[in-house]
Amino acid sequence: MSNPRRRLDADGLLMIALTTESRIGALARRVAAIATDEVLAAAVECDPRLRLAHVRVLAALEHGPVRASAVAARLGATKQTIGPLVDELVVWGILTREPDPADRRAKLLHPTASGSIVGQRVLAAAEAVEQRWRVLVGPDELDHCRRTLWRLLDGQDRDEQNW
């Protein structure tokens, strides 16, 4: 048995000791916390008011402008939950609301120039984490890990549908 490693999670709380025998969930949480911490740090460098919830809203716009309801659906939240976050991002000049050409009553969320910079820096931070991991374990091993995690997620989704 290897030496246990005590780590902090994304909120700075001490996690359980990690060993080579640790459960997949504990290891996955630690890997996610590493990436999350670095992505959030990149966002906070752009604007210290940003929190992880804001970054998640911005990430939901990665493929272009969308309605707040679509952001909520992508995040598994309600429009009422993300509304205050969107309001803050608009007030701070990171997002704008513009009429949806398909339905003038609806509004599309667009990143401003500042919002685009935040998005680029956050994406660069996420890519830097993955590049470090790619160098550490090699591209084939990292791709294998990604495929394995997808198989676990897909299997979990099927199990939940059968309940």
Side-chain angles (χ1 to χ4, degrees), residues 41-105:
V44 168
E45 280 181 18
C46 295
D47 188 324
R49 299 171 292 187
L50 291 171
R51 298 184 320 270
L52 185 56
H54 296 114
V55 174
R56 289 184 173 138
V57 168
L58 291 170
L61 279 79
E62 180 179 10
H63 301 294
V66 295
R67 295 179 183 181
S69 57
V71 171
R74 288 179 187 175
L75 299 179
T78 64
K79 189 175 171 187
Q80 291 76 16
T81 301
I82 67 143
L85 297 167
V86 169
D87 291 342
E88 287 176 330
L89 291 168
V90 169
V91 168
W92 297 341
I94 295 172
L95 290 181
T96 63
R97 288 184 181 102
E98 298 179 19
D100 182 344
D103 180 354
R104 302 299 277 176
R105 298 169 297 168

Side-chain angles (χ1 to χ4, degrees), residues 10 29 31-42 52 56 129 133:
R29 279 190 301 278
V31 168
I34 290 167
T36 299
D37 288 348
E38 294 195 30
V39 164
L40 183 57
L52 185 56
R56 289 184 173 138
V129 170
W133 291 340

Side-chain angles (χ1 to χ4, degrees), residues 7 16 22 28 35 47 57-58 72 74 106 112 120 126 150 156-157:
R7 300 284 188 189
I16 61 169
S22 291
D47 188 324
V57 168
L58 291 170
R74 288 179 187 175
T112 63
Q120 291 166 4
W150 271 115
Q156 183 68 32
D157 289 346

